[in-house]
Amino acid sequence: MNKRELILSAAALIALCVPPARAQSTTTSTAPATTPATTPDKPETIAQRKDNQQDRIAQGIQSGQLTPGETKNLETKETDLNKEEHTMRSDDDGHLTSADRAKLNNQQNKLSNNIYDDKHNAAQDHFGNSEVGQRQENQQDRIAQGVKSGQLTAGETAKLENQQQGINKEVSGMRQANGGKLTNADKKVVNQQQNKASKNIYNKKHNARTRQ
């Protein structure tokens, strides 16, 4: 066998040993890729909206963005809304109609705007590092905690902040009468008033009433 015949024989042997290549499929899958199902966010319930408003107020109290007077006014409005909701439920066997919910949501929208405006206006609480200032700040922190936890109802908060507003006005009057300072007698009077306010805060936070 010459050299040429030897090469041809070897090539034929290799071709017989190697299996034919599979034909590549020309079909492609047309099934769309699966994606997790998404559920649109549900609107807040009336109760959730109330909780959200109170959380925002509590944050404003603690940060000093809301003064006692502003907080009192906001909580008075929330109290009125709660009373209106209670009346609506009483008129419909404990339920709220669609019209009731729409009305309450519109009113909560207005209150929400009030909260925003009061938190972003020029009125701020600046207590300072004095004993009286620290006492004022401590009372506000305790009220804020009670609002956030639900221990204080809107009505209770309004009353407590009304008391703090009165004390703050008295402190301001005392300072104006003494060149911006408080006398020892002034400090004694303010501390006595804050002691009474402190008891009120404790009693309202530990009574049977909670935010509904």
Side-chain angles (χ1 to χ4, degrees):
M1 182 180 291
N2 59 32
K3 186 174 181 182
R4 177 181 174 79
E5 291 174 336
L6 183 60
I7 293 172
L8 292 172
S9 297
L13 182 62
I14 292 171
L16 290 172
C17 293
V18 177
R22 292 182 181 178
Q24 184 175 2
S25 174
T26 57
T27 59
T28 57
S29 173
T30 58
T34 57
T35 56
T38 56
T39 304
D41 292 336
K42 294 180 180 179
E44 285 185 315
T45 65
I46 297 297
Q48 287 171 333
R49 286 212 72 179
K50 289 193 291 186
D51 286 344
N52 181 52
Q53 305 282 52
Q54 291 302 299
D55 286 346
R56 293 172 61 204
I57 290 172
Q59 187 276 330
I61 296 171
Q62 194 154 29
S63 68
Q65 290 174 288
L66 291 176
T67 66
E70 290 172 333
T71 304
K72 177 192 70 175
N73 291 336
L74 292 172
E75 292 289 30
T76 298
K77 290 177 181 178
E78 188 69 56
T79 301
D80 291 340
L81 278 177
N82 292 342
K83 289 178 180 178
E84 187 170 1
E85 180 188 350
H86 179 74
T87 300
M88 289 174 173
R89 290 186 184 277
S90 298
D91 291 341
D92 198 35
D93 296 326
H95 300 288
L96 293 174
T97 66
S98 297
D100 292 337
R101 294 179 189 280
K103 184 176 182 180
L104 290 172
N105 271 318
N106 286 336
Q107 291 172 330
Q108 286 286 9
N109 289 340
K110 292 178 182 178
L111 179 58
S112 181
N113 290 335
N114 292 152
I115 295 171
Y116 180 89
D117 291 341
D118 285 347
K119 288 177 70 174
H120 293 85
N121 62 18
Q124 303 279 317
D125 259 340
H126 301 289
F127 300 108
N129 295 321
S130 67
E131 179 184 352
V132 170
Q134 288 300 302
R135 192 86 194 270
Q136 290 171 306
E137 184 172 0
N138 180 57
Q139 304 285 52
Q140 290 299 95
D141 286 344
R142 292 173 62 204
I143 292 171
Q145 187 276 329
V147 172
K148 189 166 183 62
S149 68
Q151 290 174 286
L152 292 175
T153 67
E156 289 173 332
T157 304
K159 290 178 181 178
L160 292 173
E161 289 289 33
N162 183 55
Q163 188 174 24
Q164 287 300 309
Q165 182 184 26
I167 294 173
N168 291 349
K169 286 181 178 179
E170 189 166 1
V171 169
S172 178
M174 289 173 173
R175 290 186 185 280
Q176 288 179 2
N178 290 283
K181 298 180 180 180
L182 294 175
T183 66
N184 289 333
D186 292 337
K187 292 177 183 178
K188 183 177 179 180
V189 169
V190 173
N191 269 320
Q192 288 174 342
Q193 292 175 335
Q194 287 288 19
N195 287 342
K196 293 178 182 178
S198 183
K199 289 179 181 178
N200 287 339
I201 295 171
Y202 179 88
N203 290 337
K204 291 185 186 305
K205 287 177 69 174
H206 292 86
N207 62 18
R209 291 186 293 276
T210 57
R211 185 171 77 226
Q212 300 298 320

